[in-house]
Amino acid sequence: MAKAGWAGKMHVNLRVVTIWLALGLVCLAGVFGILRFAEQERARDLRVWQDRLRIVVESRSVAVNDWVDSQYGVLQELANNAALQIYLMGLTGPKDAGANPSILNAQREYLYNLLVTTAARAGFGAEPLGADVAANVRRVGLTGLALLGPSNELLVATPDMPPLEGRFAEALARTPLGERGFLDLYRDPAGEPALGFIVPIFAVQGDRIASQQVGRVLGVREAGRPIAALLTQPGINEKSLESLLVRVEGATVEYLSHLRDGAAPLQKRLALDTPELADAALLGAPGGFVTGRDYRDVPVLATSRALAVLPWTLITKVDRAEALAGSEARRKRLVGGFLFGMTFLAVAFVAVWWHGSSRRAEAAAAKYRKLAERFERQKDFLRLVTDSQSDALYLVDSEHRYRFTNQMAARAAGITPEDTIGKTLASVLGPAAAQRLETLNCEALRSGKVVTAIHRQGKEGEEKGRRVFESIHVPLAGVGEMGGGVLIAEKDLTAIILATERHERTLRQLVAALVALVDRRDPYAAHHSERVAEVSRAIAGEMGLEAELVETAETAGKLMNLGKILVPEELLTRQGPLAESDKKLVQESLQASADLLEGIAFAGPVTATLRQLQEHWDGSGAPSGLAGEDILLTACIVAVANAFVAMVSPRAYRDGIGFDETIENLRRGEGTLFDRRVVVALVNHLENRGGRERWRSFAELSGLSG
């Protein structure tokens, strides 16, 4: 009996030990599972924050890059101004003994007014430092615009432009000829961050190469407030989320923008080897995502992008405690709840097991509920950012199905953003539009590069129904769990294109009206301008010139006789040869044509072409004695066309001559009066392109033929 009782007790103890061992294993497994689950939750939150920070840093980097490009754009607009280029060449070129000082002063005054107006409009002006007192004390200039000569000598500047010495001279010397440059961010005498931009100015109609540079335009502006505004992301609720600009300065990280701890731009520097400094790590690997410590020595999550133009890095970060507060709270709740449950396991195995099962089921349900809530918050955040954009933005996967659509893109498709999700491009946009976009998407995915394309709808020349779009296709390595995808941004360029076309139509109508006015006053030379324009266009086309130069030659041909409205009508209709004084008056009308058209915004150098019509290839012409390649090619073309039409056409005091004799006369002028290339092109058009037959009517009034 004793043996049987001992055996029974051993059996019971063994059973208890087995139960407790099982409970211990369950406890260990539960703790391990909870910790692993919490780690997975934390990893998911990190991926979510990586996507969120990537969206913000991309948005802010685009804003900063666009702002920098707009500053260069202001200076480039000045550099492309034909009047500025001509006047600048006049101020820097060799001075003739008979040069009129009043003309040079007028040109300098024009350039000064142009710089002052542009500075006030584009933000390159700031109140100088110091009181404005009636004493011989110059106030310290902070910002402004300046025109520089070939040797960086100052020609014209706004009143408050700082002296071009020190860092300004170094930046100019460091910038290669023919290229843009910049003066990196510095603190001006007022203690504000300032930034300088340098753009080359090329000779009129010269190639954009170093040898054609005639000067530079330098712009200096304050950058603190504009940059602070660009770094602010709308729709962000996290208090610790911050975007900032940094650069490498020696062995330090220099902070270029206002910081959350109150530091002003360019006020704080930290060593690159500061332990765990996230900003230093991101400088070495732009585009990465790191967890480390920021300039306050606070743990953060951060990502970065390198700017396209300036040697800066844009960093977007958020405090790790705020970003992962939800994960930490969930982990603590799960661990506490499990330990509380294990206390009940010690009371009764079955009760504890039941309780544990309930807790696991509840935890699983909470997990999926929180996942759903988190993805919903991520979608709302993305929509908040993209719906504030004026462009249509949508995300498609590698099978061309919508994964995200902003409000502008959905409105263009005529449906709600929610209705696009999961649908194909063809089902929403139609087969034709879908095929165009799918082809561009495939190209972007295949090359791994951004693809840009222009799409036009409607008939050319008609405004009603015309639409012009630019689409940008950005390949993405992964979109959630669906693999590769493409972000598409569509910009409506219709208003810009139509405005340009309306301007061109108005200019053509103006040219036609001016030509008709000249023809009415000089009936014996009626249609001369139109014929010169026709021949000029044919020669330019024969030489294979670009469209803008072809249009310039044709327009200059039409307007070359505009100055005749200043010549007495009785002189234009006089029978017989003209006196030398009368001939001189008629010849000077060519320069008058250029004077009358000065300031009209032609697409090409029409006014400059008219001014050079009387220049000769050997330098014996007027008014400037230009020679060879210094004469605009369009002026050489119109000069040959004018001589050709003048010789074959009858006049009030003579008959025209035949084509063969005209060609011989032009040949004799090669290398002296005319550019040989232009004469050869005209002859080739006459002989091989049907020019003789088409222009035979030029001589019909006198009964001549070619």
Side-chain angles (χ1 to χ4, degrees):
M1 288 219 16
K3 187 175 182 180
W6 178 82
K9 182 183 282 189
M10 286 293 296
H11 178 71
V12 172
N13 289 339
L14 183 59
R15 185 176 180 182
V16 172
V17 170
T18 303
I19 292 174
W20 279 107
L21 182 59
L23 288 175
L25 292 175
V26 169
C27 182
L28 291 175
V31 171
F32 176 80
I34 288 176
L35 293 177
R36 183 177 180 184
F37 174 76
E39 185 62 28
Q40 290 174 348
E41 289 285 290
R42 177 180 172 279
R44 289 192 184 93
D45 281 350
L46 284 174
R47 287 196 295 271
V48 169
W49 270 103
Q50 182 175 353
D51 292 339
R52 293 184 65 183
L53 293 177
R54 182 180 67 179
I55 292 172
V56 175
V57 78
E58 288 285 0
S59 174
R60 295 306 92 208
S61 64
V62 168
V64 174
N65 283 328
D66 288 348
W67 181 81
V68 172
D69 287 339
S70 70
Q71 307 312 302
Y72 275 118
V74 172
L75 272 61
Q76 192 64 56
E77 181 181 357
L78 287 172
N80 292 341
N81 187 302
L84 182 147
Q85 294 170 337
I86 294 173
Y87 292 165
L88 187 66
M89 294 174 65
L91 294 175
T92 59
K95 304 298 186 296
D96 297 332
N100 191 338
S102 64
I103 294 179
L104 294 177
N105 290 336
Q107 292 174 349
R108 193 181 300 274
E109 182 68 20
Y110 169 85
L111 296 176
Y112 173 84
N113 292 333
L114 178 62
L115 292 184
V116 170
T117 302
T118 303
R121 169 178 58 84
F124 285 86
E127 189 68 19
L129 191 63
D132 188 6
V133 297
N136 190 21
V137 178
R138 181 183 177 187
R139 295 194 293 173
V140 178
L142 302 178
T143 63
L145 293 172
L147 294 177
L148 312 176
S151 301
N152 294 328
E153 69 274 20
L154 179 64
L155 301 178
V156 183
T158 55
D160 302 321
M161 184 70 185
L164 301 184
E165 56 191 22
R167 59 169 54 89
F168 295 92
E170 294 174 3
L172 291 168
R174 191 169 57 247
T175 303
L177 289 176
E179 296 182 15
R180 299 193 311 186
F182 67 93
L183 174 61
D184 210 345
L185 199 70
Y186 68 97
R187 189 176 298 168
D188 64 22
E192 294 294 328
L195 191 61
F197 303 91
I198 303 169
V199 171
I201 303 174
F202 299 99
V204 176
Q205 294 303 306
D207 295 331
R208 294 183 175 274
I209 56 178
S211 62
Q212 295 294 312
Q213 179 174 324
V214 297
R216 285 171 169 162
V217 55
L218 169 64
V220 181
R221 65 163 298 151
E222 290 186 353
R225 283 184 291 272
I227 289 178
L230 294 170
L231 296 180
T232 301
Q233 178 70 35
I236 298 299
N237 296 323
E238 285 72 21
K239 295 181 180 180
S240 64
L241 192 139
E242 179 184 12
S243 293
L244 50 94
L245 290 169
V246 298
R247 70 183 175 196
V248 176
E249 188 65 28
T252 67
V253 179
E254 185 173 26
Y255 295 85
L256 309 180
S257 55
H258 290 279
L259 301 180
R260 193 174 295 276
D261 65 355
L266 302 173
Q267 189 179 45
K268 182 183 287 290
R269 290 186 184 181
L270 293 176
L272 283 170
D273 58 357
T274 301
E276 298 183 33
L277 182 60
D279 304 331
L282 291 171
L283 273 173
F289 175 79
V290 301
T291 60
R293 294 182 174 273
D294 68 355
Y295 57 86
R296 303 166 300 163
D297 199 30
V298 174
V300 294
L301 310 178
T303 187
S304 68
R305 292 293 184 275
L307 296 187
V309 179
L310 301 178
W312 303 346
T313 299
L314 175 64
I315 295 176
T316 296
K317 64 180 184 63
V318 65
D319 287 358
R320 182 173 176 177
E322 183 180 16
L324 302 181
S327 296
E328 292 299 320
R330 286 193 298 272
R331 184 182 65 82
K332 291 178 181 179
R333 287 197 303 269
L334 288 173
V335 172
F338 184 79
L339 293 177
F340 180 76
M342 291 308 299
T343 302
F344 284 92
L345 283 176
V347 178
F349 174 79
V350 176
V352 171
W353 176 82
W354 177 261
H355 180 72
S357 298
S358 300
R359 291 289 294 176
R360 285 193 296 273
E362 182 180 345
K367 168 187 173 182
Y368 291 113
R369 184 167 58 252
K370 290 181 176 64
L371 281 174
E373 292 174 354
R374 184 162 61 253
F375 285 126
E376 189 66 26
R377 288 196 301 271
Q378 182 181 6
K379 185 183 72 173
D380 292 342
F381 173 79
L382 183 62
R383 185 164 303 286
L384 179 63
V385 173
T386 58
D387 282 351
S388 64
Q389 306 297 316
S390 60
D391 299 338
L393 300 171
Y394 46 100
L395 191 65
V396 298
D397 60 19
S398 57
E399 297 180 354
H400 310 297
R401 294 183 179 275
Y402 285 91
R403 294 302 182 190
F404 177 81
T405 309
N406 76 340
Q407 193 66 42
M408 184 63 68
R411 188 180 300 123
I415 57 178
T416 64
E418 293 74 15
D419 290 340
T420 63
I421 305 304
K423 291 185 172 62
T424 63
L425 288 172
S427 64
V428 174
L429 303 178
Q435 183 177 6
R436 173 176 58 85
L437 294 174
E438 289 173 4
T439 301
L440 296 170
N441 289 346
C442 291
E443 181 181 349
L445 288 172
R446 182 175 59 255
S447 64
K449 299 179 180 179
V450 176
V451 176
T452 303
I454 300 295
H455 176 60
R456 303 174 186 269
Q457 296 177 352
K459 295 183 179 179
E460 291 289 339
E462 296 183 4
E463 293 193 7
K464 187 176 182 181
R466 284 281 306 285
R467 301 296 297 277
V468 182
F469 295 95
E470 179 187 43
S471 63
I472 302 173
H473 304 255
V474 182
L476 303 177
V479 183
E481 299 177 355
M482 65 181 180
V486 178
L487 175 65
I488 304 173
E490 288 189 329
K491 184 185 296 291
D492 193 342
L493 304 178
T494 305
I496 298 174
I497 298 299
L498 292 182
T500 301
E501 292 178 351
R502 282 194 292 269
H503 171 74
E504 293 176 351
R505 285 198 299 271
T506 301
L507 201 58
R508 287 195 295 268
Q509 292 169 357
L510 173 62
V511 170
L514 294 175
V515 171
L517 174 63
V518 174
D519 288 347
R520 283 198 299 270
R521 298 191 75 254
D522 187 6
Y524 291 102
H527 306 302
H528 178 83
S529 299
E530 292 182 358
R531 290 173 176 175
V532 172
E534 180 182 346
V535 175
S536 297
R537 185 177 187 89
I539 295 174
E542 189 72 30
M543 297 179 73
L545 301 186
E546 59 187 52
E548 181 177 304
L549 293 181
V550 175
E551 293 293 334
T552 297
E554 181 181 25
T555 303
K558 289 181 178 179
L559 296 174
M560 60 175 292
N561 288 323
L562 179 61
K564 287 185 177 181
I565 64 175
L566 304 178
V567 178
E569 189 170 351
E570 61 272 12
L571 178 60
L572 296 175
T573 57
R574 181 179 300 171
Q575 299 289 336
L578 300 176
E580 288 300 321
S581 61
D582 295 336
K583 288 182 179 179
K584 182 178 180 182
L585 184 60
V586 174
Q587 291 171 352
E588 289 176 348
S589 67
L590 283 175
Q591 295 302 315
S593 299
D595 293 337
L596 291 171
L597 296 170
E598 190 69 52
I600 296 180
F602 294 100
V606 173
T607 305
T609 298
L610 293 175
R611 290 201 184 281
Q612 298 181 18
L613 284 183
Q614 294 172 301
E615 302 287 358
H616 295 162
W617 188 257
D618 61 359
S620 62
S624 303
L626 300 177
E629 300 291 343
D630 292 336
I631 306 174
L632 291 176
L633 183 55
T634 50
C636 296
I637 291 173
V638 179
V640 171
N642 181 47
F644 170 77
V645 174
M647 284 189 278
V648 302
S649 301
R651 287 291 180 266
Y653 51 87
R654 64 162 175 80
D655 290 335
I657 61 178
F659 284 175
D660 293 335
E661 185 177 351
T662 298
I663 292 173
E664 292 179 4
N665 291 338
L666 293 174
R667 287 287 195 183
R668 282 194 290 270
E670 290 179 357
T672 55
L673 299 178
F674 308 121
D675 184 343
R676 180 179 179 277
R677 298 170 300 174
V678 179
V679 176
V680 170
L682 173 60
V683 173
N684 187 63
H685 192 81
L686 286 169
E687 305 297 344
N688 302 315
R689 300 283 190 267
R692 284 179 177 264
E693 291 72 17
R694 188 165 58 258
W695 297 332
R696 188 179 299 275
S697 61
F698 290 4
E700 284 182 354
L701 292 177
S702 62
L704 296 174
S705 66

